[in-house]
Amino acid sequence: MTGGPPPVPGGRTPGEREAARRAREARRAGRSGGTSQHRDWLAEARRLASRNSGNVQAPRMRRRRVVAAALVVLAVLAVGWFLVSLFQPFKGDGGDQVRVVIPKGAGVGDIGDLLEERGVVSSSFFFSLRARLSRKGGDLKPGTYRLRKDISAGAALDALTNGPPSNIVTLTIPEGRSRREVARIVDRSLEGSYLAASRRSHLLDPRGYGAKRATSLEGFLFPATYDLKRGRPVRVLVIEQLTTFREKFQRANMRYARSKNLTPYDVLTIASMVEREAAVAKERPLIASVIYNRLRGGIPLGIDATIRFATNNWTRPLTNRQLHTASSYNTRTHPGLPPGPIGSPGLASMRAAAHPARTKYRYYVVKPGTCGEHAFSTSYAEFQRDAARYDRERRKLGGKSPTSC
């Protein structure tokens, strides 16, 4: 080993060894009846020992003071962080607006989680704590809001305490609904005729999607929830639906459909039928596969939803006359796809129609005792067996559908 002071035997400093040596000599002198000189020497040795002991303790005291000071600083920083997180004095006006629906009966914690999930507040915990400290937890009103992202908990509390704007109407358009059905939803809230406004628009030309004889925007009016000012022209809703459709439809991969010589308009038409036929989400690709397989085999699709579209009968049992309607939308009597969509599908049905499951199924019928599930089959004999079971259970219920929803 090189460098540094030599090792200290027993861990003592040179000063301590000197003091110990003098103390030993003093004790020997005392035992032999030492002189006053010896006694002075003993006293000096004790003073040296005391001074060196103090020199050892001083660094320890300084370290303790530094640690204590650091703990105080950390405590101050922690308290400061907590207060800033709670009151957020440096938050600005926020970012983009997002739609937030506060359901009836939602608690403060549920609302905080929803706001954090939507990016309105940064912490559900601090929102909930702020609501309780300000005693506003019981004043938060349900409804539909347009809130900016990344605002303070206080600003969010103020907005929810004031309640949703009274001049805003929220319109929820279910997936798969036809233009005539949507008109019954919106015409009482907006100005003008939805059927007239949704016939055509400069924003979208169906011919760009492969439609040759489209007479309206049926199928292109994306179903979602829209917030508009009460009394606005209905064309504003149509513009929002078309804009949303163009964005959503790009997410459906058309590669497989193109390999089958299907246009985007064909896919949209298939998706509209899938939307009406599928009550269970997982069955969308299966129903789409049946449509593909029947088209490939030259078999009429036999989808009653297209007849309901043609006769505008979506709720009552189809009559024998309706089942034999001469409309080109009657897929029992007309092979191939109907002339166009029978409603506006959602994205999941668009994707299923663009890329169906790979199956050999050609038939399906509602499976009794389920909430809309279907029994799929590859042969007509299997289908007849499944259909007979369905009819048998339906007769037991006096003609009602044997489902258990």
Side-chain angles (χ1 to χ4, degrees), residues 89-234:
F90 307 114
K91 283 286 186 181
D93 296 331
D96 297 334
Q97 284 190 339
V98 293
R99 181 176 176 275
V100 180
V101 178
I102 306 299
K104 292 182 179 180
V108 173
D110 296 329
I111 295 174
D113 292 342
L114 181 60
L115 294 178
E116 180 180 342
E117 179 183 342
R118 300 291 289 157
V120 176
V121 299
S122 57
S123 170
S124 173
F125 169 77
F126 283 109
F127 172 84
S128 301
L129 180 60
R130 183 74 183 273
R132 293 184 175 93
L133 291 176
S134 62
R135 298 183 179 179
K136 291 183 178 180
D139 300 330
L140 307 182
K141 297 178 176 61
T144 302
Y145 295 83
R146 285 283 182 178
L147 301 175
R148 293 192 178 275
K149 289 186 175 182
D150 197 30
I151 60 176
S152 67
L157 283 171
D158 290 341
L160 299 186
T161 301
N162 293 332
S166 58
N167 65 333
I168 298 296
V169 58
T170 300
L171 297 171
T172 299
I173 313 300
E175 295 175 337
R177 297 300 187 267
S178 67
R179 292 167 55 244
R180 283 178 292 191
E181 292 176 286
V182 175
R184 292 195 289 267
I185 298 173
V186 305
D187 279 352
R188 289 172 293 180
S189 303
L190 303 174
E191 293 293 327
S193 167
Y194 183 81
L195 284 176
S198 61
R199 189 170 295 120
R200 64 182 59 88
S201 171
H202 68 280
L203 285 180
L204 189 146
D205 185 351
R207 290 177 296 182
Y209 292 82
K212 297 179 180 179
R213 295 182 297 275
T215 58
S216 71
L217 297 172
E218 193 79 74
F220 296 96
L221 304 158
F222 195 80
T225 297
Y226 299 93
D227 301 317
L228 297 97
K229 288 187 177 180
R230 192 177 300 278
R232 291 295 304 276
V234 73

Side-chain angles (χ1 to χ4, degrees), residues 290-291 293-302 331 334-336 362-363:
V290 171
I291 295 174
N293 292 337
R294 292 176 76 89
L295 287 174
R296 184 166 54 248
I299 306 171
L301 298 181
T331 54
H334 292 77
R362 289 190 172 188
Y363 309 92

Side-chain angles (χ1 to χ4, degrees), residues 253-304:
N253 189 336
M254 294 290 148
R255 184 179 304 171
Y256 181 80
R258 284 196 298 266
S259 72
K260 303 302 179 184
N261 297 318
L262 295 175
T263 67
Y265 193 65
D266 293 334
V267 171
L268 193 61
T269 300
I270 295 172
S272 70
M273 293 186 286
V274 170
E275 197 69 76
R276 280 292 189 174
E277 293 288 290
V280 181
K282 66 181 181 181
E283 290 189 352
R284 288 189 177 103
L286 298 175
I287 292 175
S289 75
V290 171
I291 295 174
Y292 271 69
N293 292 337
R294 292 176 76 89
L295 287 174
R296 184 166 54 248
I299 306 171
L301 298 181
I303 293 179
D304 288 347

Side-chain angles (χ1 to χ4, degrees), residues 273-356:
M273 293 186 286
V274 170
E275 197 69 76
R276 280 292 189 174
E277 293 288 290
V280 181
K282 66 181 181 181
E283 290 189 352
R284 288 189 177 103
L286 298 175
I287 292 175
S289 75
V290 171
I291 295 174
Y292 271 69
N293 292 337
R294 292 176 76 89
L295 287 174
R296 184 166 54 248
I299 306 171
L301 298 181
I303 293 179
D304 288 347
T306 62
I307 300 176
R308 290 187 177 278
F309 174 80
T311 59
N312 196 28
N313 175 13
W314 292 105
T315 57
R316 301 180 306 277
L318 290 171
T319 65
N320 187 61
R321 182 178 180 180
Q322 289 173 332
L323 291 172
H324 291 86
T325 179
S327 170
S328 56
Y329 280 88
N330 187 342
T331 54
R332 287 190 173 207
T333 57
H334 292 77
L337 292 174
I342 60 174
S344 293
L347 179 57
S349 291
M350 292 178 187
R351 285 174 165 165
H355 201 286

